[in-house]
């Protein structure tokens, strides 16, 4: 017992030293660092950032946008990993997203800075750059036999979990005054359609054509469910991470499959400058292959084609281990270097708190929370039955059906500290999103 207490105290001390969360870290500010910078130097850089933003010196180009996201993101991440209560229940990843969203909603972000960040994150492809690295890196970091075994079972679990959530959304629709089918069409389906750009926006066009109303009006009605479902999934991810720490039997700590079969352990990474460059090129190549396939068969999104291509290459073993190692090393480099920046960009440009608050009622919030909870719990139970760890199944086959596409997957998995699940999350999000677009299109024709 005494040894256990000493080990716990040691772990807490190490976490405090890493993130500045211990009392000693706050009492001795010289030892507190953010992204390797001593606190005084980081504060000087943060001041420089604020002055540049205030005087409109954040032009629409790579360096200013990257600079703002990294400086603000790493600061928010440090706060989330340092404050006693916040670091226990939410963590740095959630604070990066919600903190940035609060800053933007409060009007503290200058218009020029917002335009630069919005262009960089969404139009110029920073999130595409980041997610492409994560997809290739995480897929090549999984044993090929494990990948194939998991994928076959994952989609049925996700679809059954979705069915439970959709039924519950209908019941809440009655309480919200939308009716059973209205709850499904305007709450359940938008929440699980694969995000805003790939899901809710085309869904609004489908509804608009079927109902003969303005697409913008439909989108305004559906968007809060999409955004709020994503936020709830992010918070749930952080809470499940804490549950895994207290109930270790429920989790594989990032490993999805728990079927008793041997899993080949990947060798430790020893990246070099050359291998990182090679890995980056491999990630770009797979993304471009996905874009080419999407050009000819546009019904399947680029990311989905990319995942299919990587799975085929990984499953067939045609790529050498040296090249696979380069891809996974590049993915890990992206995770360690730019996750806080990516999450902050999501919070600044994709989470509209004003839209959420404008339509939010206690009953609406309760409906979204309980729908996400029902989907996640169903995924956990079914996942355990088919040989998954319940916690990982709840995240990959549950919460990742209620987030905002690729950026939502990154946000949820980062808050849950389960980035290893990204390949499975992408498979679920893209497949189930396409399914819900189809279901929504059929239902609106039948009952709209």
């Amino acid at each position: 017992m005494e040894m256990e207490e000493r080990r716990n105290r040691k772990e807490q001390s190490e976490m405090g030293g890493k993130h500045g969360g211990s009392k000693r870290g706050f009492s001795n500010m010289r030892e507190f660092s953010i992204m390797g910078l001593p606190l005084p130097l980081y504060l000087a850089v943060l001041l420089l950032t604020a002055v540049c933003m205030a005087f409109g010196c954040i032009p629409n180009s790579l360096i200013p946008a990257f600079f703002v996201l990294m400086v603000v993101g790493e600061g928010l991440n440090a706060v989330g990993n340092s404050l006693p209560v916040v670091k226990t229940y939410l963590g740095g990843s959630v604070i990066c997203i919600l903190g940035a969203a609060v800053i933007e909603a409060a009007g503290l972000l200058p218009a020029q800075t917002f335009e630069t960040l919005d262009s960089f994150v969404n139009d110029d492809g920073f999130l595409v750059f980041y997610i492409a690295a994560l997809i290739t890196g995480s897929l090549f970091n999984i044993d090929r036999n494990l990948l194939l075994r998991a994928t076959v079972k994952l989609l049925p679990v996700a679809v059954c979990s979705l069915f439970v959530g959709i039924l519950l959304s209908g019941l809440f629709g009655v309480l919200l005054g939308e009716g059973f089918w209205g709850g499904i069409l305007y709450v359940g389906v938008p929440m699980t359609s694969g995000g805003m750009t790939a899901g809710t926006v085309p869904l609004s066009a489908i509804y608009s054509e079927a109902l003969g109303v303005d697409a913008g009006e439909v989108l305004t009605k559906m968007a809060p469910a999409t955004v709020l479902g994503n936020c709830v999934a992010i918070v749930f991810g952080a809470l499940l991470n804490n549950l895994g720490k207290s109930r270790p039997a429920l989790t594989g700590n990032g490993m999805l499959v728990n079927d008793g079969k041997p899993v080949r352990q990947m060798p430790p990474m020893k990246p070099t400058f050359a291998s990182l460059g090679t890995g980056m090129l491999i990630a770009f190549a797979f993304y471009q292959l996905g874009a080419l396939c999407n050009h000819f068969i546009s019904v399947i999104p680029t990311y989905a084609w990319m995942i299919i291509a990587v799975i085929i290459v990984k499953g067939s073993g045609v790529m050498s281990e040296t090249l696979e190692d380069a891809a996974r090393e590049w993915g890990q480099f992206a995770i360690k270097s730019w996750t806080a920046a990516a999450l902050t960009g999501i919070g600044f440009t994709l989470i509209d708190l004003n839209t959420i608050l404008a339509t939010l009622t206690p009953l609406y919030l309760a409906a979204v929370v309980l729908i996400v909870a029902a989907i996640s719990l169903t995924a956990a139970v079914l996942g355990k039955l088919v040989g998954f760890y319940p916690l990982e199944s709840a995240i990959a086959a549950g919460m990742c059906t209620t987030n905002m596409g690729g950026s939502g997957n990154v946000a949820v998995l980062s808050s849950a500290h389960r980035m290893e699940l990204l390949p499975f999350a992408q498979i679920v999000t893209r497949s189930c999103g396409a399914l819900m677009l189809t279901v929504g299109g059929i239902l609106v024709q039948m009952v709209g």
Side-chain angles (χ1 to χ4, degrees), residues 366-391:
V368 173
V369 170
L370 290 176
I371 291 168
V372 176
I375 292 174
S376 303
L377 181 60
T378 305
V381 173
L382 295 180
K384 183 174 177 59
L385 293 177
V386 301
F388 293 161
Y389 283 101
L391 193 147

Side-chain angles (χ1 to χ4, degrees), residues 78-424:
V79 169
N81 287 326
S82 300
L83 296 180
V85 176
V86 175
K87 72 177 181 179
T88 300
Y89 294 101
L90 298 176
S93 299
V94 177
I95 297 304
C96 283
I97 298 167
L98 297 184
V102 168
I103 291 171
E104 199 284 322
L108 300 178
L109 194 67
Q112 185 204 45
T113 303
F114 175 81
E115 292 172 4
T116 296
L117 297 182
D118 186 40
S119 177
F120 176 65
V121 171
N122 300 305
D123 299 331
D124 297 338
F126 171 57
L127 280 183
V128 174
F129 175 79
Y130 176 76
I131 293 172
L134 264 58
I135 289 175
T136 52
S138 53
L139 278 172
F140 282 119
N141 200 35
I142 300 175
D143 173 63
R144 64 173 54 90
N145 294 324
L146 175 64
L147 178 63
L148 297 175
R149 295 203 312 271
T151 303
V152 171
K153 300 175 181 178
L154 186 65
L155 287 178
V157 171
V159 170
C160 291
S161 303
L162 271 182
F163 180 73
V164 172
I166 293 299
L167 284 180
L168 188 59
S169 71
L171 297 177
F172 271 107
V174 175
L175 297 177
L176 291 167
E178 295 286 348
F180 181 82
W181 296 112
I184 291 176
L185 288 171
Y186 294 102
V187 178
V189 172
M191 277 180 60
T192 56
S193 62
M196 192 68 73
T197 303
T200 308
V201 171
L203 198 63
S204 67
I206 294 171
Y207 286 14
S208 172
E209 184 177 351
L211 301 174
V213 298
D214 181 63
E217 179 184 335
V218 177
L219 182 61
T220 301
K221 191 173 182 179
M222 293 191 298
T226 305
V227 178
L228 189 57
N230 188 65
C231 293
V232 171
I234 292 167
V235 174
F236 274 18
L239 295 178
L240 280 193
N241 179 50
N242 291 321
L243 177 62
K245 292 177 181 177
S246 61
R247 301 284 298 276
L250 297 176
T251 178
N253 295 309
M255 181 180 292
L256 176 65
V257 179
N258 181 30
D259 57 7
K261 296 182 180 179
V263 177
R264 174 177 172 263
Q265 296 298 318
M266 304 303 291
M269 298 183 192
K270 298 179 180 179
T272 63
F273 291 124
S275 67
L276 290 176
T278 301
M280 180 174 65
L281 183 60
I282 292 170
F284 289 173
F286 275 110
Y287 178 80
Q288 285 304 127
L289 178 58
L292 180 64
C293 293
N294 173 259
H295 177 75
F296 291 105
I297 307 178
S298 58
V299 69
I300 301 178
T302 298
Y303 284 141
W305 278 120
M306 184 181 178
I307 292 167
I308 292 169
V310 178
I311 288 176
I312 291 173
V313 170
K314 175 72 176 180
S316 62
V318 297
M319 185 178 285
S320 69
E321 287 192 6
T322 300
L323 294 179
E324 288 192 6
D325 288 346
R328 66 193 187 98
E329 287 164 2
W330 170 247
Q332 287 299 307
F333 176 78
I335 290 173
K336 294 179 184 296
S337 301
W338 302 319
T339 294
L343 296 176
T344 303
I346 291 169
F348 276 140
T349 66
L350 295 176
I351 305 295
D352 189 348
L353 288 184
N354 290 323
T355 299
I356 295 175
L357 295 175
T359 58
L360 190 63
T361 65
L363 183 58
Y364 193 95
L365 175 61
V368 173
V369 170
L370 290 176
I371 291 168
V372 176
I375 292 174
S376 303
L377 181 60
T378 305
V381 173
L382 295 180
K384 183 174 177 59
L385 293 177
V386 301
F388 293 161
Y389 283 101
L391 193 147
E392 275 71 20
S393 183
I395 296 169
M399 295 172 199
C400 289
T401 65
T402 64
N403 60 33
M404 294 172 60
S407 60
N409 285 333
V410 170
V412 172
L413 297 182
S414 182
S415 70
H417 296 275
R418 299 292 191 282
M419 291 297 283
E420 302 92 335
L421 297 175
L422 183 67
F424 304 117

